[in-house]
């Protein structure tokens, strides 16, 4: 069916938007990647809804015309019985490029109208291929763009012949039937123009247009007899509501009335047929079809039903575009649905036929990827080839030891309301697209990662007058070249839809706007940061030249030019630093990314521009070439390359639609384990220092060890899996033992594929050969240090390099059978840097109990990572107070309060023979008393035997004094003890003041 048929049939505009053919970016010159790179590719995307035009069917054969990309001329396609489509593109008898203008099939013969003119002129020949025999005939068409006499236009197929409009004298034309090996047969003549609306091997419906009034007549012409019959006389280019052209009939539709002629006897006059539906536009032997507008989705939906009304009208779903009634009387259409591939479907009784061979999948072609964007290691592409809905795709990128990889592109969103044009930006997990069509004004819209629109779109009647300068996920800087703004830079906030003017050359980063401001009348300029939430303004840097456009990433600021308007030199600096680096801006505006600077160089002949990457971490300033920039499809098309400003990636698209992604970074240490020290003393414990680092790339590495500024040792190696495992045994480069102390180490790594140097990693390691040791001290009796049950404990290092301590404790308690047993070692402090603490105060694991003996231990950790052994224990006993029930007093005793005494009381007696008795289960006995100027004497009796006499006299009062100590044995046994008052040395020195007793267990 010729293309003009759709115009005359007046398919609604909403349906016609689906007629755009599949495109891809126009091919440019071959692009060469760097010789040593880390890259991957994403195959050319094929659209699941490719375009197909000029559908024609005959029995089991179906042909159609399809363009596979924007820069590829249309081909003809053939499928038989739903089989694999065959490309009929090269049908000419020449090797020149062929453009297919139309294809059709009738009576088992395929016709392809083609031209070899590279400018896409009208068909200059038609190739006829017999599907049974394979024989081909090529019929010439004398196309002449001047329209002079003899000029011909191909109009339609007629079985094994073609219909040609032929010019002759006085600007008149005739319609001729041209067949192989036969003279042309004139069918119609004397008119100004013929349009063939439908045809087969036996006849055709033709629109005749005649000057001077340009009257319109639709006639049926029979090829065998040359007889014609007028079936309609429309008053304009618009055809009747519907036209019928089946093997047996021709006719026109008006409302629900079909006026019909038999093709075998057209002169017999028409008959009237009442159709079951009044809006029918396409009529086949068994089916009626028509469009109905749907306000729900703003589209024209295709309905169909059985011609005799035996089945109800049904919405076919999806998007139907090209409809045709074949020479076999069956209706076929191209149908695009979400649940099936784009296909050519055959209708039977108003339904999509499910018979074998009645559905043919249209081969998918390269998608038209209108723009590329990179952000945070994700590649975004905008695919506008899916007709009524575009698709935004995302592919995650990664670079590991095995090389670069990209995930299969997944759909971020499907968008309507126009195509995504040149602008596609991504930042902060959001994407910015520029949309617009003939039916709505252009606008910029932000989408979340899940495809949800964000905020208010920025609308423009002409998006070609504006361009996005910067985007941070929430806001965009837009250069507005409309008459009203005249090149002003606008800051637009999508949430809230707020617009404000900002200084030219500004940049967005981290929720702030960066702009340059001259400092008064001086020759210096300040780079100012304005927090867009708080409005706070700070100065990020000061420069001594006129800044051009700004770019910001982290603490780095790039001035794309620095100097006069003609400057071709930029300046790279860091906020808070006076150091600067010049950047070449002569070829292309450099681009600042996170830890990478993208620059451009031109080939010696000036025909190619190379994108380079320079790492901004580490000590190396080497610049690595990534790829040569591909050409744009045309001046209005998007660039076919992009860089990632948040991660080290760049991408470009080649001529075939394959997207190449290049990693522009340096190896990164994903994990590390570097011990703080070691002890090469031969004890089998940490005798070597064995740090490890795991890089995300294969690297060659050098580990340098220095004492102060003197290099002591250098270790090297290569790791294909990215794991660096160095070992230092504590010797110098000459093999001698390195001295104890701290050493500075520096690890330098270089990518073994790209040669790019990673950021240096530095640190310190300590070498110690002596195992750390420490001592602990505490009072033997708690009362010697305090009046309550708390024990001051202190500890200190015995060796050099000790950094922290562990403090442990143990206590002996009596079990259920009355046996005293020493408990297990428990931790009181771990890794503490303190050197003292009070056991029994805050942070103590227990409250000390009177009558128990606590043992304290310490071990040290040094700066080499060693841990020493637990020290020898020191013991502290908690004495039993004079008021304890375990002490039994005989004779005259008096209890008195004394703030400085243990637990605040004392027991006093001056009566000779008075005594206190108790049981001592332990290894040592200690008696705590107060020495005074009236202090008397008492005897200590153990197991009935006097073992000592104690005189408590002192010129000055002294509280909590251990006045008697006695070893009871090496094991814990039960002993009976008495403290018996003796006569005083004088009458004034006869008072004994008892405070407490302690038995060590």
């Amino acid at each position: 069916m010729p293309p003009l048929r759709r115009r005359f049939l007046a398919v609604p505009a909403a349906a016609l938007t689906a007629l755009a053919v599949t495109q891809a970016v126009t091919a440019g010159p071959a692009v060469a990647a760097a010789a040593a790179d880390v890259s991957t590719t994403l195959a050319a995307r094929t659209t699941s809804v490719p375009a197909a035009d000029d559908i024609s069917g005959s029995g089991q054969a179906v042909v159609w015309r399809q363009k596979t990309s924007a820069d590829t001329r249309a081909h003809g396609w053939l499928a038989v019985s739903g089989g694999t489509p065959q490309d009929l593109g090269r049908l000419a008898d020449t090797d020149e490029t062929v453009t297919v203008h139309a294809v059709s099939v009738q009576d088992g013969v395929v016709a392809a109208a083609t031209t070899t003119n590279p400018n896409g002129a009208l068909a200059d020949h038609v190739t006829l291929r017999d599907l049974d025999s394979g024989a081909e005939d090529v019929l010439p068409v004398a196309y002449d763009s001047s329209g002079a006499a003899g000029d011909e236009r191909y109009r339609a197929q007629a079985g094994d012949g073609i219909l040609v409009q032929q010019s002759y004298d006085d600007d008149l034309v005739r319609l001729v039937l041209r067949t192989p090996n036969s003279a042309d047969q004139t069918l119609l003549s004397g008119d100004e123009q013929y349009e063939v609306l439908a045809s087969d091997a036996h006849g055709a419906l033709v629109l005749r247009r005649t000057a001077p009034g340009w009257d319109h007549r639709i006639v049926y012409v029979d090829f065998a007899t040359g007889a014609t019959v007028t079936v309609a006389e429309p008053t304009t280019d618009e055809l009747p509501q519907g036209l019928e052209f089946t093997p047996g009939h021709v006719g026109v539709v008006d409302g629900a009335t079909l006026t019909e002629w038999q093709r075998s006897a057209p002169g017999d006059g028409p008959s009237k047929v009442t159709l079951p539906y009044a809006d029918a536009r396409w009529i086949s032997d068994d089916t009626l079809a028509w469009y109905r507008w749907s306000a729900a989705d703003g589209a024209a939906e295709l309905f169909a039903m059985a011609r005799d009304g035996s089945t109800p009208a049904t919405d076919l779903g999806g998007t139907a575009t090209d409809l045709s009634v074949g020479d076999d009387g069956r209706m076929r259409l191209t149908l695009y649905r979400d649940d099936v591939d784009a296909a050519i479907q055959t209708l039977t009784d108003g339904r999509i036929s499910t018979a074998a061979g009645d559905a043919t999948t249209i081969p998918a072609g390269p998608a038209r990827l209108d723009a590329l964007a990179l952000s945070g290691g994700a590649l975004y592409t905008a695919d506008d080839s899916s007709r009524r809905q575009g698709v935004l795709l995302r592919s995650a990128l990664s670079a590991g030891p095995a090389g670069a990889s990209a995930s299969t592109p997944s759909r971020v969103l499907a968008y309507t309301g126009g195509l995504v044009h040149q602008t596609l930006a991504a930042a902060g997990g959001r994407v910015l697209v520029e949309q617009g069509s003939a039916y709505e004004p252009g606008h910029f819209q932000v989408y979340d990662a899940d495809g949800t629109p964000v905020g208010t779109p920025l609308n423009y009647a002409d998006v070609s007058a504006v361009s996005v300068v910067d985007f941070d996920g929430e806001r965009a800087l837009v250069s507005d070249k409309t008459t009203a703004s005249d090149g002003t830079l606008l800051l637009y906030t999508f949430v809230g839809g707020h617009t404000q003017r900002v200084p030219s050359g500004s940049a967005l980063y981290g929720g702030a706007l960066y702009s340059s401001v001259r400092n008064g009348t001086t020759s210096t300029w300040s780079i100012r940061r304005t927090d867009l939430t708080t409005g706070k303004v700070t100065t990020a840097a000061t420069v001594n030249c006129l800044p051009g456009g700004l770019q910001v990433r982290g603490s780095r600021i790039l001035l794309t030019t620095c100097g006069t308007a003609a400057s071709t030199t930029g300046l790279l600096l860091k906020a808070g630093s006076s150091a600067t680096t010049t950047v070449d801006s002569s070829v292309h505006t450099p681009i600042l990314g996170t830890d990478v600077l993208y620059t451009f160089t031109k080939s010696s002949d000036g025909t190619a521009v190379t994108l380079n990457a320079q790492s901004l971490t580490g000590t190396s300033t080497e610049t690595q070439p990534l790829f040569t920039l591909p050409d744009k499809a045309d001046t209005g098309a998007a660039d076919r390359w992009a860089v990632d400003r948040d991660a080290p990636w760049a991408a470009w698209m080649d001529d075939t639609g394959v997207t190449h992604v290049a990693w522009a970074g340096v190896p990164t240490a994903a994990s590390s384990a570097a011990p703080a020290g070691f002890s090469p003393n031969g004890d089998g414990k940490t005798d070597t220092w064995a740090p490890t680092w795991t890089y995300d790339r294969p690297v060659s590495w050098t580990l340098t060890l220095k004492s102060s500024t003197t290099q002591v040792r250098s270790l090297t190696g290569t790791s294909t899996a990215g794991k660096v495992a160095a070992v230092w045994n504590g010797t110098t480069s000459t093999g001698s033992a390195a001295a104890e102390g701290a050493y500075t180490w520096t690890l330098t790594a270089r990518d073994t594929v790209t040669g790019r140097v990673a950021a240096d990693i530095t640190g310190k390691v300590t070498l110690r050969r002596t195992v750390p040791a420490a001592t602990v001290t505490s009072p033997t009796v708690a009362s010697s240090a305090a009046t309550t049950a708390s024990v001051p404990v202190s500890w200190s290092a015995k060796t050099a390099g000790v950094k922290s301590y562990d403090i442990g404790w143990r206590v002996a308690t009596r079990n259920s059978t009355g046996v005293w047993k020493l408990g297990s070692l428990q931790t009181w402090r771990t890794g503490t840097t303190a050197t003292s603490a009070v056991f029994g105060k805050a942070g103590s694991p227990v409250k000390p109990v009177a009558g128990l003996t606590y043992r304290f231990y310490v071990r040290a950790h040094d700066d080499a990572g060693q841990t020493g052994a637990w020290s020898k224990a020191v013991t502290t006993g908690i004495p039993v107070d004079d008021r304890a029930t375990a002490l039994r007093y005989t004779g005259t005793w008096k209890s008195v309060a004394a703030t400085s005494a243990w637990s605040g009381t004392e027991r006093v007696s001056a009566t000779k023979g008075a005594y206190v008795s108790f049981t001592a289960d332990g290894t040592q006995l200690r008696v705590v008393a107060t020495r005074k100027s009236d202090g008397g004497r008492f005897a200590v009796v153990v197991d009935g035997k006097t073992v000592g006499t104690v005189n408590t006299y002192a010129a000055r009062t002294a509280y909590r004094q251990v006045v008697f100590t006695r070893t009871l044995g090496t094991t814990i046994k039960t002993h009976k003890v008495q403290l018996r008052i003796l006569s005083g040395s004088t009458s004034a020195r006869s008072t004994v003041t008892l405070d407490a007793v302690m038995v060590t267990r």
Side-chain angles (χ1 to χ4, degrees):
M1 180 175 64
L4 286 176
R5 181 179 179 189
R6 286 192 302 279
R7 174 171 61 86
F8 286 121
L9 290 176
V11 176
L16 288 176
T17 60
L19 297 176
V21 294
T22 306
Q23 296 181 2
V25 179
T26 299
V31 182
D37 67 355
V38 178
S39 61
T40 186
T41 60
L42 284 83
R45 173 171 163 78
T46 56
T47 174
S48 61
V49 276
D53 305 298
D54 299 329
I55 180 174
S56 175
S58 178
Q60 294 183 318
V62 180
V63 296
W64 65 95
R65 178 177 177 271
Q66 180 184 16
K67 290 187 68 176
T68 58
S69 67
D71 59 337
T72 302
R73 294 175 178 84
H75 281 197
W77 290 84
L78 163 71
V80 179
S81 299
T84 302
Q86 305 171 37
D87 186 352
L88 305 178
R90 287 201 173 274
L91 298 177
D93 53 357
T94 175
D95 291 333
E96 295 182 42
T97 302
V98 174
T99 300
V100 175
H101 297 280
V103 289
S104 58
V105 59
Q106 296 174 7
D107 280 1
V109 176
V110 175
T114 57
T115 180
T116 57
N117 189 319
N119 296 318
L122 294 183
D124 55 23
H125 59 278
V126 178
T127 301
L128 299 170
R129 176 185 297 175
D130 188 295
L131 294 178
D132 291 330
S133 65
E136 289 188 356
D137 288 294
V138 178
L139 300 181
V141 179
Y143 166 71
D144 185 341
S145 59
S146 68
D151 177 39
E152 296 181 343
R153 299 286 193 274
Y154 173 68
R155 286 302 182 221
Q157 181 185 4
D160 61 355
I162 61 174
L163 298 175
V164 176
Q165 175 182 295
Q166 193 176 73
S167 300
Y168 61 98
D169 294 338
D170 299 325
D171 294 329
L172 296 179
V173 297
R174 54 181 161 240
L175 184 68
V176 300
L177 173 62
R178 181 170 295 162
T179 56
N181 306 316
S182 298
D184 291 349
Q185 175 187 348
T186 299
L187 300 175
L188 300 170
S189 63
D191 298 305
E192 290 288 340
Q193 183 178 346
Y194 297 106
E195 297 291 344
V196 177
L197 305 178
S199 66
D200 59 17
H202 308 290
L205 272 174
V206 182
L207 174 66
R208 306 179 67 172
R209 304 178 65 191
T210 306
W214 285 100
D215 296 328
H216 296 72
R217 281 190 303 152
I218 300 175
V219 301
Y220 171 70
V221 56
D222 184 271
F223 297 157
T225 65
T228 62
V229 59
T230 299
V231 300
E233 294 186 73
T235 57
T236 66
D237 282 353
E238 193 71 32
L239 289 185
Q241 169 186 309
L243 289 171
E244 181 191 37
F245 190 87
T246 66
H249 298 86
V250 294
V252 295
V253 181
D254 182 9
T257 300
L258 167 63
T259 302
E260 183 177 76
W261 287 263
Q262 292 188 25
R263 296 180 65 181
S264 60
D268 291 347
S271 59
K272 302 290 184 180
V273 179
T274 301
L275 302 175
Y277 195 82
D279 286 342
R281 279 172 162 75
W282 292 271
I283 304 96
S284 67
D285 279 345
D286 61 3
T287 297
L288 306 178
W290 64 94
Y291 275 115
R292 181 184 298 169
W293 178 258
S294 171
D297 58 8
E301 299 168 343
L302 183 66
F303 282 73
M305 65 182 297
R307 177 169 171 167
D308 60 7
S310 60
T311 59
T314 302
D315 182 358
L316 296 182
T319 302
T321 57
D322 199 87
L323 284 79
S324 171
V325 179
D327 69 345
D328 55 0
R330 306 184 71 187
M331 187 182 297
R332 295 173 180 84
L333 67 155
T334 53
L335 184 63
Y336 304 87
R337 287 202 321 229
D338 294 337
D339 58 333
V340 296
D341 288 336
I344 295 174
Q345 305 281 357
T346 300
L347 300 186
T348 300
D349 288 330
R351 299 291 187 271
I352 296 175
S353 173
T354 58
D358 278 354
T360 300
T361 300
I362 304 170
R368 184 179 65 224
L369 301 178
D370 278 356
L372 299 174
L374 287 159
S375 177
L379 172 68
Y380 295 88
T381 54
D383 174 9
D384 283 342
S385 58
S386 54
R387 294 186 171 254
R388 293 174 61 188
Q389 281 198 325
V391 178
L392 195 63
L393 303 168
R394 180 185 186 276
S395 183
L397 310 176
S398 61
S405 62
S407 65
T408 301
S410 60
R411 190 176 81 168
V412 175
L413 62 97
Y415 52 83
T416 57
L419 308 179
V420 173
H421 299 302
Q422 297 182 35
T423 301
L424 173 61
R430 292 174 173 172
V431 290
L432 171 68
V433 298
E434 172 194 324
Q435 296 178 228
S437 71
Y439 308 105
E440 65 173 359
H443 63 275
F444 296 95
Q445 176 68 63
V446 174
Y447 293 94
D448 265 331
D450 61 359
T452 303
V454 176
T456 304
L458 176 58
N459 295 319
Y460 277 96
D462 180 9
V463 291
S464 64
V466 294
S467 61
V468 174
V469 176
D470 209 349
F471 174 62
D472 67 359
E474 296 183 8
R475 308 167 185 87
L477 287 176
V478 181
S479 177
D480 187 341
K481 300 178 182 177
T482 60
T483 303
S485 299
D486 193 23
T488 300
L489 189 62
L490 303 178
L491 171 64
Y492 184 77
T493 303
F494 287 92
V495 176
H498 176 65
T499 303
Q500 67 184 86
R501 293 191 178 189
V502 297
S504 176
S506 296
L508 289 171
Y509 184 74
L513 177 75
Y514 290 79
S515 304
S516 56
V517 180
R518 185 171 184 171
N519 297 321
T521 59
T522 69
S523 59
T524 64
W525 280 259
S526 292
I527 310 300
R528 293 186 179 175
R529 179 186 187 276
T530 302
D531 189 293
L532 293 173
T533 300
T534 65
K536 182 179 179 181
V537 179
T538 55
T539 298
T542 301
V543 294
N544 296 320
C545 60
L546 174 63
L550 300 178
Q551 296 180 26
V552 182
R553 276 298 178 270
S555 61
R556 296 186 180 93
I557 302 172
L558 173 66
L559 282 60
T560 56
T561 60
C562 197
T564 65
S567 172
T568 59
T569 301
L571 199 65
L572 181 65
L573 52 94
K574 263 194 170 185
S577 173
S578 59
T580 59
T581 304
T582 58
V583 180
D584 182 11
S585 301
S586 61
V587 176
H588 199 293
T589 302
I591 303 173
L592 176 62
T594 301
D595 296 332
V596 62
L597 177 65
Y598 298 97
T599 57
F600 303 85
T601 53
K602 187 173 291 187
S603 61
S604 58
D605 60 4
T607 59
V609 175
T610 299
L611 173 68
N612 308 295
Q614 176 186 345
S615 173
L616 298 178
T617 61
T619 57
S620 174
T621 59
E622 297 177 5
T623 297
Q624 301 286 338
L626 295 179
F627 51 77
T628 301
L629 302 186
D631 289 340
K632 296 172 64 171
D634 53 61
T635 56
D639 280 316
R640 293 192 296 152
W641 63 274
V643 300
D644 191 337
R645 299 188 64 194
D646 299 314
W649 292 95
W652 59 277
M653 186 183 297
D654 67 18
D655 303 349
T656 64
V658 174
T659 301
H660 300 257
V661 183
W663 180 66
V666 298
T668 301
S671 61
S672 63
F678 68 120
S679 55
N681 53 18
D683 64 355
K685 299 178 181 179
T686 62
D687 283 333
T688 60
W689 181 53
T692 61
W693 296 269
T694 302
Y695 282 88
D696 56 359
R697 295 285 305 137
V699 295
S700 59
W701 54 270
T702 300
L703 181 65
T704 304
L705 295 125
K706 290 184 177 181
S707 175
S708 186
T709 58
T710 303
Q711 180 172 317
V712 175
R713 189 71 184 271
S714 178
L715 306 171
T716 60
T718 300
S719 173
T720 57
K723 185 174 182 179
V724 174
V727 178
W728 183 34
N729 61 2
T731 61
T732 67
S733 56
T734 61
S736 60
E740 284 196 357
Y743 292 83
T744 300
W745 55 263
T746 301
L747 177 69
T748 300
R750 181 184 293 270
D751 193 294
T752 57
V753 176
T754 66
R756 300 180 198 136
V757 180
D760 289 349
I761 303 176
T762 62
K764 290 185 179 296
V765 59
T766 302
L767 187 157
R768 297 287 179 194
R769 292 187 173 83
T770 303
V771 177
T775 59
V776 61
T777 59
S778 67
T780 303
V781 184
S783 58
S784 298
T787 61
T788 59
S790 57
V791 182
V793 183
S794 60
W795 50 89
S796 59
K798 294 175 65 177
T799 58
V802 172
K803 295 183 64 177
S804 63
Y805 306 87
D806 297 336
I807 313 301
W809 63 281
R810 302 172 76 184
V811 64
T813 56
R814 193 195 302 265
N815 63 18
S816 59
T817 62
V819 178
W820 289 90
K821 286 192 174 181
L822 187 61
S824 60
L825 180 66
Q826 301 182 62
T827 301
W828 175 23
R829 294 281 193 275
T830 300
T832 181
T833 57
T835 56
S836 64
V838 178
F839 191 79
K841 295 294 185 181
S844 178
V846 296
K847 181 176 178 60
V849 177
L852 298 184
T853 302
Y854 294 87
R855 291 163 174 79
F856 298 100
Y857 308 81
V858 64
R859 66 180 178 184
H861 305 285
D862 67 11
D863 51 9
Q866 298 184 100
T867 299
W870 287 104
S871 68
K872 185 178 180 181
V874 296
T875 61
T876 297
I878 310 301
V880 176
D881 183 48
D882 64 282
R883 292 171 293 179
T885 57
L887 302 181
R888 297 179 297 279
Y889 294 94
T890 302
T892 302
W893 291 87
K894 182 173 68 173
S895 180
V896 297
T899 303
S900 299
W902 177 254
S903 296
T905 63
E906 298 174 319
R907 195 63 62 101
V908 179
S909 178
T911 303
K912 180 182 178 181
Y915 64 90
V916 57
S917 58
F918 54 91
T919 298
D921 295 333
T923 57
Q924 280 191 323
L925 169 66
R926 288 181 173 82
V927 179
V928 180
T930 302
R931 292 185 184 274
K932 291 186 176 182
S933 58
D934 61 352
R937 297 182 304 131
F938 67 87
V940 180
V941 180
V942 178
D943 296 331
K945 181 179 179 181
T946 300
V947 295
T949 299
V950 179
N951 188 349
T952 63
Y953 167 78
R956 306 182 73 172
T957 301
Y959 293 97
R960 306 188 313 280
Q961 300 295 300
V962 179
V963 297
F964 178 80
T965 300
R966 172 75 176 186
T967 299
L968 301 177
T970 57
T971 60
I972 297 177
K973 293 182 179 180
T974 301
H975 302 276
K976 302 295 184 180
V977 180
Q978 284 187 351
L979 304 180
R980 187 178 295 274
I981 306 300
L982 302 175
S983 58
S985 57
T986 65
S987 58
R989 299 178 180 176
S990 58
T991 301
V992 173
T993 303
L994 180 65
D995 197 354
V997 296
M998 191 200 85
V999 178
T1000 301
R1001 298 179 172 92

